[in-house]
Amino acid sequence: ERITRLTTNPGKALINLGAVYNRTGEHQKAVEAIRKGLQYEKKSTEGYYNLGVAHRKLGQHAMAVTAYKEALRLDPQFAEAHQNLGNVYLDQGLPEQAAAHYRKALELRPDFEKAKKGLTDAQRAAALA
């Protein structure tokens, strides 16, 4: 927090602070810090990714989808963003959309265990629908 006040461009520091807040479970603080950071670092893939994490943890699925999609617009090869977008779609009861993002994550990183598990869960959910 102190570093963000000591620099003329606190964007990266604020985004990193938001990631720390996410890890400590302070997701509303994460949203606030990351949004401030993104005012300086408008093309921060990590910023939008971490914003998506925070919004999902807060149950704000539409905002999480928007944040992950922006991270993917900036870096279409970001496997973790595809995997987490799949998680949000699965949370929303949209297993087909979830499966598409898990598949993309696995295309990018074939050994990605979280995406493998997500794809299995999405396929199960689709079969039950």
Side-chain angles (χ1 to χ4, degrees):
E1 291 175 346
R2 194 167 168 211
I3 291 171
T4 66
R5 293 187 297 268
L6 296 175
T7 179
T8 57
N9 181 354
K12 289 180 183 178
L14 285 161
I15 289 167
N16 288 336
L17 178 61
V20 170
Y21 283 142
N22 271 336
R23 288 195 178 103
T24 61
E26 298 175 87
H27 304 295
Q28 188 57 51
K29 282 185 172 183
V31 167
E32 293 164 12
I34 294 166
R35 284 197 180 281
K36 286 179 188 172
L38 288 170
Q39 291 174 5
Y40 296 91
E41 300 289 331
K42 294 179 182 1
K43 294 185 179 185
S44 173
T45 305
E46 293 80 14
Y48 286 104
Y49 172 81
N50 280 298
L51 187 60
V53 170
H55 281 305
R56 179 174 180 238
K57 293 293 186 176
L58 291 168
Q60 300 167 338
H61 295 120
M63 295 173 87
V65 167
T66 300
Y68 287 131
K69 283 185 174 183
E70 182 60 15
L72 288 167
R73 186 187 71 75
L74 294 167
D75 181 3
Q77 307 301 308
F78 194 176
E80 288 81 1
H82 280 289
Q83 184 261 332
N84 277 297
L85 184 52
N87 290 342
V88 175
Y89 283 137
L90 200 54
D91 291 347
Q92 292 179 303
L94 302 168
E96 293 83 9
Q97 288 94 322
H101 284 282
Y102 292 134
R103 283 188 195 99
K104 184 63 178 178
L106 288 167
E107 178 185 312
L108 296 167
R109 274 192 35 209
D111 62 337
F112 195 175
E113 290 301 322
K114 288 181 181 180
K116 287 179 186 177
K117 182 188 178 316
L119 181 57
T120 299
D121 293 345
Q123 290 169 332
R124 253 190 226 123
L128 295 174

